[in-house]
Amino acid sequence: MKRGLRFLALGLLLAWQALAGAATPATVPDTIEQRVAACIACHGREGATSNAGYFPRLAGKPAGYLFNQLVSFRDGRRFNTDMAYMVQHMSDAYLHEIADYFAGLDLPYPPVSPTSDATPEVLARGRMLALQGDPERRLPACVQCHGAALTGVQPATPGLLGLPRLYLASQLGAWLTNERHAQAPDCMAEVGRRMWTSDVNAVAGWLATQPVPANAKPAASLPAPMPIACGGTTEVKK
């Protein structure tokens, strides 16, 4: 009888411990990696999206660029309901922390498919715009601001390779239609006003088929001044 009671007591004790353990919430680490986990839902694992989707890659982008975009979503220069909701109450210091985290990630790019449904003529037009521009219409070449390798320039100019075609076209189109804005002087808004829809499709199609170089890091500087005044491309104060 006493032995049975002892077994019963032991069983009740083990059951109570199991319930107590189940009721104890798991401890979530308070790290920047944990706090930016929500970004992965759209932008991909650790901010390195594939080239088949819509959302842009975050990993390895210049910290100044990432910070400027977060501020633009917060302050209404860029419009995306989810992004605006996420950052609306964040301080500059916190946005710098997020930007620095993603800028510091060094992750491989997914393979880029060289095939496209664009015609050879459209791709040739896109290549010309990216590498030479269109002087007659005062359209600067992409390489004049985004670097000779098109991988961006420190501290705040983004790379254009390894991005989904749909994303590139939508953002260039937003500049063209005056739906996206940046810090004054807004150079891309000026470029957008000089572009046609066919230009947008051509350059987005060509950029999306270009392989990402082995060294995809942003260049330290440009070899010459930018051809057009551009706000938000200098060092961002913290």
Side-chain angles (χ1 to χ4, degrees), residues 23 46 51 96 107 124 128 141 159 166 201 225:
E46 297 187 20
N51 62 352
H96 271 299
L107 300 171
M128 186 189 76
L166 178 59
N201 292 330

Side-chain angles (χ1 to χ4, degrees), residues 19-98:
L19 289 172
T24 303
T27 301
V28 177
D30 184 18
T31 63
I32 184 62
E33 292 87 349
Q34 177 63 34
R35 283 182 266 135
V36 300
C39 305
I40 300 172
C42 293
H43 292 273
R45 178 183 171 271
E46 297 187 20
T49 188
S50 73
N51 62 352
Y54 169 80
F55 297 94
R57 176 188 175 98
L58 302 180
K61 285 282 200 311
Y65 172 76
L66 294 173
F67 172 76
N68 286 342
Q69 302 319 299
L70 290 168
V71 171
S72 290
F73 282 119
R74 185 192 66 188
D75 297 350
R77 286 188 294 270
R78 290 190 68 176
F79 306 101
N80 177 280
T81 302
D82 293 334
M83 285 298 303
Y85 177 79
M86 290 177 67
V87 302
Q88 61 182 326
H89 299 303
M90 292 184 180
S91 66
D92 281 3
Y94 194 14
L95 296 182
H96 271 299
E97 187 178 1
I98 295 172

Side-chain angles (χ1 to χ4, degrees), residues 141-193:
C142 299
V143 294
Q144 290 181 271
C145 298
H146 295 269
L150 293 170
T151 56
V153 182
Q154 294 290 1
T157 304
L160 300 180
L161 301 184
L163 290 168
R165 175 182 176 182
L166 178 59
Y167 176 77
L168 288 165
S170 69
Q171 297 310 303
L172 286 170
W175 295 116
L176 186 152
T177 58
N178 200 34
E179 294 176 0
R180 178 174 171 177
H181 307 276
Q183 298 176 23
D186 192 343
C187 56
M188 281 303 301
E190 183 66 24
V191 170
R193 284 191 285 269

